[in-house]
Amino acid sequence: MGFLLASVAIAAAFLATRSASAHPGHSNHADILDAPIAGVRNNYWYDYRSDVEEAESELRKDLRRAKSRQDKREAWAEYNRELRDARSDYRKEMIEKGYILRRGVVTVEG
């Protein structure tokens, strides 16, 4: 009886750990913006948020299907790539609209 209870406890702990590790949440990703640039909630902000949510959904699916550590590494790498791309696209749009200035632009007249 004790062996059965121990086995059930170990299985429950394993499943809880596995589902908890499926996605660590926003706080573990410095690349995810918590607020819009310049406090402006526009279509670009909502597109960015949508891209982040889609990346999170794909990560969960990929991790569920993962058969090996390599599969998991690839899922996380793809997720991080998608986060960087979403942030970069959002930042570029906000630069074009004049909400933030380009870094490193030098104009010389003479």
Side-chain angles (χ1 to χ4, degrees):
M1 182 71 169
F3 178 76
L4 179 63
L5 289 175
S7 298
V8 170
I10 290 171
F14 173 77
L15 291 174
T17 302
R18 182 179 166 117
S19 64
S21 69
H23 189 270
H26 291 301
S27 62
N28 291 345
H29 298 287
D31 290 337
I32 298 176
L33 297 175
D34 292 329
I37 294 173
V40 177
R41 292 182 186 273
N42 55 17
N43 286 341
Y44 305 118
W45 168 250
Y46 295 115
D47 288 345
Y48 167 75
R49 294 301 309 157
S50 176
D51 290 343
V52 168
E53 289 173 13
E54 183 179 342
E56 290 171 348
S57 175
E58 282 297 315
L59 174 64
R60 283 189 296 272
K61 289 177 189 174
D62 290 346
L63 289 176
R64 276 194 305 267
R65 287 189 297 247
K67 303 265 190 242
S68 66
R69 287 184 182 161
Q70 180 65 28
D71 291 343
K72 289 179 183 179
R73 278 193 299 271
E74 289 173 3
W76 279 104
E78 180 181 353
Y79 172 70
N80 287 318
R81 237 183 347 266
E82 289 176 9
L83 288 181
R84 282 191 305 274
D85 288 346
R87 186 171 181 151
S88 175
D89 292 346
Y90 174 52
R91 189 173 184 285
K92 286 177 188 175
E93 292 294 343
M94 295 302 278
I95 287 171
E96 285 181 19
K97 297 298 177 190
Y99 290 108
I100 52 178
L101 300 175
R102 290 184 196 265
R103 287 189 223 158
V105 175
V106 177
T107 304
V108 178
E109 293 182 24

